[in-house]
Amino acid sequence: MKMHRNFDVKTIIRRTVATLTVGAALFSVSACGAKSADKTEKKADTSQKTTAKDPLTVVASVNQWGSLAQEIGGDHVKVTSIINSSNVEAHDYEPSTAEIAQLTSANIAVVNGGHYDEWATKALSSAKSVQSVNAASIIGASESDNPHLWFSSDARKAVAESLKKTYAQLLPASKDYFQKQYDAWLKSETELDNTMNEFKNKYADTPYAATESVAYYLYSDLGLKDVTPEGYANASANESEPTAADLQAFQSIIEGHQIKFLVNNPQESSDATNMLTGTAGKSDIPVVNITEQIPSQYTTLHAWIKALVENLTATLDTGVNPDTTVYEQSEHSDHDHDHD
């Protein structure tokens, strides 16, 4: 994973709007820009006329987005998530030839983008017949931004809307059905927002630190304060070893009880993370393990995130993580599973 910055998704979206505004101004004086825009418009017109067989074949790089694709598509899609287990690391995943074939022969491919699943985005770059729903592209995230976008409420809503439109484009006769699926999903998302707002009202600005910034967007939406030492955070994001000084600074905030809990991604374990979680255990600081992929006991992104919020609420209420089953790693295989 390349070094990334922790931006609010709202900031990313504002940045994208600003870029589009500037681009519109340049359009009137740029012949090259006019040609490029014309090609884009023609491509969009062509895709709008495209139809496909029902159900649509949808292949997601990871089950976070595969789950969402299934919820919006319902009975009119057949979704496969290539990475459907929290026992593998998505950044460095090496797909099989069969998995690449699945991805590039689908009606729709759903990917995260933003240097998270490059193996998938590279494969799709030459698959001209596949409609691609790329979360990072949809919200305008750059390659240096934190790629764990499924934990952002704004990103989830943007991707859900894109899926609805893409499905309706390929199966126009089922447009109303996809709208109903989207409305039901949005109702659940609103309920989750309400749960998160209740948490935020109670625990805003609570300090935490993370061995890896997997849940940054979720905790930003919850109003929590990330106080991970900058040197360590930069090293983690750049997949380099933290210095002795970085580790000492991290241990100091743990031992000094300057944080209420420590976030750990078990899919990114190392000697450094093991040392930090051990320090937290000795210092009676709760360790909250959060995987990137949805654990096997949850069928939807909403159900998982809600469980994460409820568990964190209990952790902060008691000072002890009461339910490690929320984060159990999947016992499923590392390869294809259908969301039926």
Side-chain angles (χ1 to χ4, degrees):
M1 177 175 61
K2 302 294 176 65
M3 182 172 180
H4 58 254
R5 298 170 290 178
N6 287 328
F7 275 106
D8 240 355
V9 173
K10 289 185 176 67
T11 300
I12 296 173
I13 293 173
R14 285 197 297 268
R15 185 177 61 199
T16 305
V17 172
T19 301
L20 291 173
T21 302
V22 172
L26 293 176
F27 175 82
S28 62
V29 295
S30 172
C32 180
K35 292 179 181 178
S36 176
D38 185 52
K39 291 180 181 178
T40 302
E41 185 178 352
K42 288 179 181 179
K43 182 177 181 182
D45 288 344
T46 301
S47 65
Q48 287 173 359
K49 297 174 183 177
T50 302
T51 57
K53 292 182 179 179
D54 190 351
L56 297 171
T57 58
V58 182
V59 177
S61 59
V62 291
N63 70 359
Q64 303 93 296
W65 294 125
S67 170
L68 180 56
Q70 184 66 67
E71 285 195 84
I72 303 301
D75 295 334
H76 291 288
V77 299
K78 181 175 177 58
V79 180
T80 298
S81 294
I82 292 178
I83 299 181
N84 198 31
S85 165
S86 55
N87 293 326
V88 296
E89 211 285 299
H91 303 282
D92 303 319
Y93 187 69
E94 295 184 5
S96 68
T97 302
E99 288 170 334
I100 292 297
Q102 273 190 312
L103 188 71
T104 56
S105 62
N107 296 127
I108 300 169
V110 186
V111 297
N112 188 79
H115 272 310
Y116 184 73
D117 44 8
E118 287 183 281
W119 52 271
T121 54
K122 286 180 179 179
L124 290 171
S125 63
S126 58
K128 304 302 181 183
S129 63
V130 182
Q131 290 271 35
S132 179
V133 175
N134 184 312
S137 296
I138 290 168
I139 67 163
S142 74
E143 294 180 347
S144 60
D145 291 334
N146 188 316
H148 305 112
L149 300 171
W150 55 91
F151 277 131
S152 162
S153 176
D154 289 324
R156 289 193 299 274
K157 290 171 184 173
V159 173
E161 184 172 5
S162 180
L163 285 166
K164 177 193 69 173
K165 291 179 178 178
T166 303
Y167 290 160
Q169 199 176 86
L170 294 182
L171 293 178
S174 300
K175 180 179 179 180
D176 291 343
Y177 175 87
F178 294 130
Q179 182 65 51
K180 290 179 180 178
Q181 291 292 109
Y182 172 80
D183 289 343
W185 176 87
L186 189 59
K187 181 180 178 181
S188 295
E189 182 72 19
T190 301
E191 292 171 355
L192 179 59
D193 285 342
N194 292 337
T195 298
M196 293 174 69
N197 284 332
E198 290 175 5
F199 178 100
K200 188 174 183 179
N201 290 336
K202 187 174 182 180
Y203 290 111
D205 296 323
T206 296
Y208 75 95
T211 62
E212 199 259 350
S213 60
V214 60
Y216 175 81
Y217 293 125
L218 173 60
Y219 290 158
S220 178
D221 286 343
L222 289 171
L224 300 173
K225 184 178 181 181
D226 185 355
V227 297
T228 306
E230 184 176 359
Y232 178 92
N234 288 337
S236 174
N238 202 32
E239 289 193 335
S240 60
E241 291 295 325
T243 66
D246 293 333
L247 291 172
Q248 185 176 6
F250 208 144
Q251 284 183 297
S252 294
I253 67 170
I254 295 173
E255 294 170 341
H257 288 258
Q258 296 175 41
I259 59 174
K260 294 298 184 182
F261 64 97
L262 176 69
V263 181
N264 179 59
N265 178 0
Q267 291 173 270
E268 293 276 1
S269 62
S270 66
D271 290 341
T273 62
N274 291 337
M275 183 188 71
L276 292 170
T277 55
T279 300
K282 294 175 183 177
S283 303
D284 294 324
I285 296 294
V287 175
V288 175
N289 288 310
I290 299 185
T291 58
E292 296 173 27
Q293 278 66 59
I294 302 175
S296 59
Q297 63 267 41
Y298 301 102
T299 58
T300 69
L301 197 52
H302 280 150
W304 180 39
I305 293 176
K306 183 180 179 182
L308 291 174
V309 175
E310 291 174 346
N311 187 73
L312 184 56
T313 300
T315 299
L316 292 177
D317 282 344
T318 64
V320 177
N321 184 356
D323 184 10
T324 57
T325 62
V326 174
Y327 314 105
E328 276 184 0
Q329 294 190 4
S330 172
E331 296 178 358
H332 290 210
S333 74
D334 298 343
H335 291 83
D336 305 356
H337 288 78
D338 292 343
H339 291 271
D340 293 329

